[in-house]
Amino acid sequence: MRILIVGGGYVGLYTALRLQRKLKAELGRGEAEIVVVSPDPYMTYQPFLPEAAAGAISPRHVVVPLRRVLEGCRVVVGEVTSIDHAKHTATVGTLATEETGRTEQLSYDELVLAPGSISRTLPIPGLADHGIGFKTLEEAIGLRNHVIEQMDIASSTRDPAIRDAALTFVFVGGGFAGVEALGELEDMARYAARYYPNVKPDDMKWILVEASDRILPEVGEEMGRYTVTELRRRNIDVRLETRLESCVDRVAVLSDGARFPTRTVVWTAGVKPHPVLAATDLPLNGRGRLKCTPELTVEGVTHAWAAGDAAAVPDVTAEEPGKETAPNAQHAVRQARVLGDNIVRALRDEPLETYAHKYVGSVASLGLHKGVAHVYGRKLKGYPAWFMHRTYHLSRVPTFNRKARVLAEWTLAGLFKREIVSLGSLEHPRAEFELAAGGKPSKGPKGSS
């Protein structure tokens, strides 16, 4: 019997861990096999991306290596491009596909769909050319290097136009990703400015653009208003009910008529289901997510399961009918445990468990020692909220190994100064050798953009 898990994120990792534990005897006898297909050989703990971007946590401590944690599973690094559930087969493109031109066909008995989501972009002129995402570890570290590089550019020129564009940072999207990324990076850049004699914190423009009339809706209206006040107190320009209309030629044009020459447009305006869902014969709702039952089975079919961002799971704790669980980490981790248990229950012909979890609230970091929280009806702000944010996510990051390493880094950060070095050349490691060999490096002699 083969259980195929598509995706190595929260749901994929925790479901595989649960199955690995529950089916230990069957796996040992060779009666069962768990296959995890993931585009990366690691799971990224996304709530730590803003701190990784700010240099508070080492990038390698934000990820959990799948092969080390899932010793009883087979991990395939690749992308599932289509699924024919009627035939119980999945088409997988692996790292060797580019060399051979051939994809693999994986058969399965039980299917777990947890591919997660991707950034939801809009057809805004110039966005594809100049926009920067903030959903992966690579994007987070790339953005950190980019911000420090812009400060280097500003400090090395007297041209006011170049300086102004380099020191203007536009973030689009007022959800967790946008607010936390802006808060952490502004905090880091403000600290880094002390090492640039001709760059002052007030020289930098940080702009948050949000299409709705509030930010951080998950922490409640009151805490959302407090966050706007706190950001504006730090001279961050928060523009509500405003949209990005263009960023052609590195000029951010907003719907309120404002224009900002900038070399940095960070797009965090929402996510959408992974495109592999559209390449299946499974039922989807109007927003492209899999229709699921409260037991986390895919509606109307057998031997198919889903959870997390890809699944429209009914919220049985909600008072209003038809409400679905939010696509966030809080639900994904808990759904994965129920999902893993239900697969084992189904294999043993036992009744399935219903997923029920009442949303307890949210916490958000706004930089070092700054945050907001609305948990179990209690509202916190400032240092207490920031401390709760760190404590909560430290308890949730997988494996004791990662918990210990993150805690050690936070402890050392309290004793020593921040690291503000840019390692942008790591993104183009062959650039210098190409130049030495007589070629033309694609991103300059040191890989700078």
Side-chain angles (χ1 to χ4, degrees):
M1 179 193 63
R2 174 181 287 168
I3 302 172
L4 176 62
I5 300 176
V6 179
Y10 294 107
V11 175
L13 173 66
Y14 282 104
T15 300
L17 279 172
R18 201 73 167 181
L19 290 171
Q20 187 174 260
R21 189 178 304 119
K22 294 279 186 176
L23 299 176
K24 185 176 181 179
E26 289 86 344
L27 292 170
R29 294 194 299 264
E31 298 173 358
E33 180 186 25
I34 303 170
V35 180
V36 179
V37 181
S38 171
D40 299 306
Y42 53 80
M43 174 264 204
T44 302
Y45 191 71
Q46 290 187 327
F48 280 160
L49 287 184
E51 291 205 48
I57 302 177
S58 173
R60 66 184 183 278
H61 298 157
V62 179
V63 299
V64 180
L66 296 178
R67 287 192 174 91
R68 178 187 295 176
V69 177
L70 304 177
E71 295 180 355
C73 305
R74 176 187 167 198
V75 177
V76 178
V77 178
E79 289 268 11
V80 173
T81 56
S82 65
I83 294 173
D84 187 341
H85 189 62
K87 297 180 179 179
H88 281 216
T89 60
T91 302
V92 182
T94 66
L95 295 176
T97 299
E98 292 184 8
E99 301 291 334
T100 64
R102 296 190 300 271
T103 56
E104 292 188 20
Q105 298 292 320
L106 279 178
S107 60
Y108 59 83
D109 298 287
E110 300 287 339
L111 173 68
V112 177
L113 270 170
S117 56
I118 62 173
S119 296
R120 176 176 58 85
T121 59
L122 299 175
I124 296 173
L127 182 62
D129 298 321
H130 305 298
I132 303 171
F134 196 81
K135 186 162 174 57
T136 67
L137 180 61
E138 293 82 1
E139 288 175 329
I141 303 308
L143 181 57
R144 167 188 169 81
N145 292 333
H146 175 82
V147 168
I148 296 176
E149 186 178 80
Q150 299 314 302
M151 298 179 71
D152 289 333
I153 290 173
S155 69
S156 61
T157 181
R158 295 182 179 180
D159 188 315
I162 294 177
R163 275 179 59 90
D164 186 53
L167 296 178
T168 300
F169 306 96
V170 179
F171 286 68
V172 183
F176 277 116
V179 172
E180 290 193 322
L182 185 151
E184 292 283 355
L185 285 166
E186 189 274 341
D187 203 45
M188 179 205 72
R190 179 179 293 273
Y191 176 87
R194 67 182 65 184
Y195 300 104
Y196 292 84
N198 56 345
V199 176
K200 307 300 179 187
D202 291 342
D203 295 337
M204 293 182 278
K205 296 177 186 174
W206 297 84
I207 303 157
L208 178 63
V209 179
E210 167 55 39
S212 69
D213 60 352
R214 58 191 291 196
I215 65 174
L216 293 181
E218 296 87 351
V219 299
E221 186 174 352
E222 181 183 339
M223 290 293 96
R225 288 197 303 268
Y226 165 80
T227 303
V228 171
T229 302
E230 170 65 19
L231 294 178
R232 286 173 174 166
R233 188 179 291 122
R234 290 159 59 178
N235 290 326
I236 296 172
D237 186 354
V238 180
R239 295 179 178 242
L240 303 177
E241 298 183 278
T242 307
R243 299 178 306 279
L244 176 69
E245 295 192 338
S246 170
C247 53
V248 174
D249 297 329
R250 295 187 181 276
V251 177
V253 180
L254 307 184
S255 59
D256 60 4
R259 299 170 61 90
F260 297 98
T262 178
R263 296 170 57 89
T264 309
V265 175
V266 183
W267 182 267
T268 63
V271 296
K272 63 181 180 181
H274 196 284
V276 71
L277 300 183
T280 72
D281 53 352
L282 298 171
L284 306 179
N285 68 3
R287 291 185 293 173
R289 300 169 73 193
L290 289 161
K291 293 182 180 179
C292 292
T293 68
E295 293 74 32
L296 304 178
T297 63
V298 177
E299 193 175 282
V301 298
T302 57
H303 307 293
W305 312 76
D309 291 359
V313 179
D315 188 349
V316 299
T317 67
E319 297 179 359
E320 58 270 37
K323 187 175 181 181
E324 300 169 358
T325 59
N328 57 36
Q330 186 177 139
H331 281 296
V333 172
R334 290 171 171 81
Q335 287 173 356
R337 292 169 184 157
V338 174
L339 195 158
D341 288 345
N342 277 351
I343 291 177
V344 175
R345 288 171 182 267
L347 295 175
R348 296 172 179 170
D349 293 323
E350 298 174 357
L352 303 184
E353 178 185 351
T354 296
Y355 174 74
H357 171 67
K358 191 171 181 61
Y359 192 61
V360 299
S362 299
V363 291
S365 171
L366 305 177
L368 189 63
H369 301 161
K370 297 176 280 289
V372 291
H374 189 181
V375 181
Y376 292 114
R378 298 192 63 183
K379 301 170 185 177
L380 300 173
K381 54 189 177 183
Y383 185 90
W386 172 84
F387 184 77
M388 176 177 284
H389 174 272
R390 283 202 163 183
T391 303
Y392 173 78
H393 287 299
L394 182 65
S395 70
R396 295 303 175 189
V397 67
T399 78
F400 176 79
N401 179 298
R402 285 296 176 272
K403 287 180 172 65
R405 290 178 183 272
V406 169
L407 182 59
E409 286 199 303
W410 283 343
T411 302
L412 291 173
L415 301 175
F416 301 100
K417 295 180 179 180
R418 286 191 187 214
E419 294 289 348
I420 58 166
V421 65
S422 168
L423 297 176
S425 58
L426 292 179
E427 299 167 31
H428 310 281
R430 295 191 65 247
E432 188 164 335
F433 181 80
E434 289 174 356
L435 181 64
K440 183 180 180 181
S442 57
K443 293 290 182 179
K446 282 291 183 181
S448 60
S449 57

